[in-house]
Amino acid sequence: MEVFFQQVVSGLATGGIYGSVALALVMIYQATDVVNYAQGEMAMFSTYIAWTLLDKGVPYWWAERIVIRPVENKPILTIVIVCIGLLVILNSMAGWIYSYIQKPFPSPFPPKPIMLGTVVFGAHDLGAIGVTLVVLAFLYAFFRFTTLGLAMRAAAQNPVSSRLCGIRVGWMLAIGWGLASMVGAVAGMMVAPIVFLDPNMMAGILIYAFASATLGGFTSPGGAVLGGLIVGVIENLVGTYVHFIGTELKLTVALALILVVLVFKPSGLFGRVAVHRV
């Protein structure tokens, strides 16, 4: 039983990270109707920027306007190809600028573990869960109670009517990408102390994030975070108790979850079912 609780706690910690990346995916999807396959690399590159700031104090800025905005009204296949191209470009740029050598990244939490009875809680694990919940609460308050957040929701749901009301839809979409990049950067900074910093560190995590967003629903930010926690716990328990899977095949758990949800409940556990009148 002790091993079970330990695996659940560890799964919640990693699930919080998956939920953070899934939250960024959901934000971009809700703001632009685009599934951003480059979200993991955006988070990775942002983490390298944070590492540079911590190491040298050099600021760095970049925006999505040049790459995504020209194709936002193009066919879905065009947008998918652009996102995959952005993934490859960011990965190659990170390797070219920072090299592919793994680098240690400091954790903002103390290294001393926390003991509750016989179960050991890593401070970073608990901190990652707490950070995810704080980010979720911030985004909920932002979209629910601020003028800018309400304008962003309106622009995403009905761009034509929003333009007639004087809302600058293009700026709202750009801000949505910026917020999603910020959330992804936070997730990357939670991942890096665990797996070390390198250009490929988010590859597997992005698949888990897609599983989390699919399970929770691409139209539900809270569902994406809860989906991440569920995926993290399932991954750990299956890897521990299903011996033929172990640690080597745990990624197949995420792929299996994606397939099962798409077959039986495509909108996810908490997502809205889209109904179109024809």
Side-chain angles (χ1 to χ4, degrees):
M1 187 60 70
E2 180 181 337
V3 174
F4 175 82
F5 282 118
Q6 191 69 63
Q7 293 302 320
V8 169
V9 171
S10 178
L12 289 174
T14 54
I17 296 172
Y18 301 156
S20 295
V21 182
L23 183 59
L25 287 169
V26 167
M27 285 184 60
I28 288 183
Y29 181 78
Q30 287 193 309
T32 65
D33 205 31
V34 171
V35 178
N36 182 23
Y37 296 95
Q39 185 63 58
E41 305 310 297
M42 290 169 62
M44 173 273 298
F45 203 81
S46 299
T47 308
Y48 266 110
I49 295 171
W51 178 81
T52 301
L53 291 173
L54 290 171
D55 190 53
K56 298 182 179 179
V58 179
Y60 186 87
W61 293 86
W62 72 280
E64 54 83 34
R65 188 179 184 90
I66 297 174
V67 178
I68 299 296
R69 288 289 299 281
V71 298
E72 65 182 2
N73 295 318
K74 297 295 189 294
I76 187 64
L77 183 59
T78 302
I79 299 175
V80 169
I81 292 173
V82 168
C83 287
I84 293 175
L86 184 59
L87 181 156
V88 175
I89 290 170
L90 288 175
N91 186 281
S92 301
M93 283 182 61
W96 177 53
I97 296 171
Y98 298 103
S99 81
Y100 285 91
I101 299 174
Q102 291 185 334
K103 297 175 174 62
F105 193 91
S107 171
F109 307 106
K112 186 178 179 180
I114 300 171
M115 293 284 297
L116 286 180
T118 57
V119 180
V120 181
F121 296 85
H124 186 86
D125 294 342
L126 294 179
I129 298 173
V131 167
T132 301
L133 296 178
V134 168
V135 170
L136 179 62
F138 165 77
L139 291 175
Y140 174 82
F142 174 78
F143 284 111
R144 185 70 181 269
F145 301 113
T146 68
T147 303
L148 180 58
L150 293 173
M152 289 177 63
R153 290 172 60 190
Q157 293 175 8
N158 197 326
V160 176
S161 297
S162 299
R163 288 190 176 94
L164 294 175
C165 293
I167 297 174
R168 301 182 66 179
V169 174
W171 277 107
M172 296 302 104
L173 298 181
I175 293 172
W177 275 83
L179 280 175
S181 299
M182 180 195 73
V183 174
V186 172
M189 293 174 70
M190 293 296 101
V191 171
I194 300 173
V195 301
F196 291 101
L197 181 61
D198 79 89
N200 298 312
M201 71 176 191
M202 298 296 291
I205 291 173
L206 183 61
I207 296 177
Y208 287 117
F210 271 113
S212 305
T214 305
L215 178 63
F218 266 90
T219 58
S220 173
V225 174
L226 184 57
L229 298 176
I230 294 173
V231 169
V233 172
I234 291 176
E235 172 210 2
N236 264 24
L237 293 179
V238 170
T240 301
Y241 293 105
V242 182
H243 299 294
F244 70 88
I245 290 182
T247 58
E248 294 81 8
L249 298 177
K250 285 201 297 184
L251 196 59
T252 59
V253 176
L255 297 174
L257 277 172
I258 292 174
L259 291 175
V260 169
V261 173
L262 289 178
V263 169
F264 293 103
K265 193 170 176 54
S267 60
L269 296 178
F270 306 98
R272 297 188 304 272
V273 178
V275 179
H276 299 282
R277 181 177 296 174
V278 294

